[in-house]
């Protein structure tokens, strides 16, 4: 089973890395870009000792406790 | 319009950052994790000068040319 965790900065938190990417792509000639924000993405392979509910619960706990900083970041978990 | 770009290491490319995360979460007591891989995630807000096809084309070009290293990374683009 695979869990996918997406971590993004909360709206309102400044994203200087995203701004740098936006500036760079504009210099490279891409037009019509109004904002770029960078996040993180994790693919977690889980063995078969966990069922779908257990996998989601473990992935949520991992996302909240280890993979994201809940003060400035949101996370989203998908189970496949 | 918003483009979401997911960049992941190609299968077979070593991911020491993912291995470090896997080791850490195991030390923290999470069981049943067989692999962790880290990727990147970008949210690109596009203004209305582009239609859906143009937005996809621009996002694909950006993903291929700027946001990923096509030698070791794959990318996936979603338009919303």
């Amino acid at each position: 089973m695979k869990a996918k965790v997406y971590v993004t900065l909360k709206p309102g938190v400044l994203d200087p890395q995203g701004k740098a990417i936006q500036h760079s792509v504009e210099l490279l000639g891409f037009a019509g870009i109004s904002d770029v924000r960078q996040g993180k993405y994790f693919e977690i392979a889980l063995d078969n000792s966990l069922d779908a509910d257990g996998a989601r619960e473990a992935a949520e706990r991992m996302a909240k406790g280890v993979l994201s900083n809940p003060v400035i970041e949101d996370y989203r978990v998908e189970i496949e």
Side-chain angles (χ1 to χ4, degrees), chain A residues 60-80:
Chain A
E60 294 262 356
R61 259 191 313 137
M62 236 181 293
K64 188 172 186 176
V66 188
L67 303 177
S68 74
N69 175 354
V71 177
I72 55 167
E73 290 171 329
D74 288 324
Y75 62 88
R76 192 170 91 243
V77 174
E78 286 173 10
I79 302 288
E80 274 184 7

Side-chain angles (χ1 to χ4, degrees), chain A residues 14-26:
Chain A
L14 286 177
D15 182 2
Q17 191 174 10
K19 282 284 168 238
I21 296 168
Q22 182 183 354
H23 187 64
S24 295
V25 293
E26 281 170 355

Side-chain angles (χ1 to χ4, degrees), chain A residues 13-59:
Chain A
V13 176
L14 286 177
D15 182 2
Q17 191 174 10
K19 282 284 168 238
I21 296 168
Q22 182 183 354
H23 187 64
S24 295
V25 293
E26 281 170 355
L27 286 179
L28 288 166
F30 291 92
I33 316 282
S34 53
D35 193 29
V36 178
R37 289 180 81 80
Q38 174 157 17
K40 285 177 279 186
Y41 169 60
F42 302 91
E43 283 184 357
I44 303 165
L46 298 150
D47 63 25
N48 296 325
S49 63
L50 294 167
D51 61 3
D53 285 349
R56 173 170 294 278
E57 194 268 331

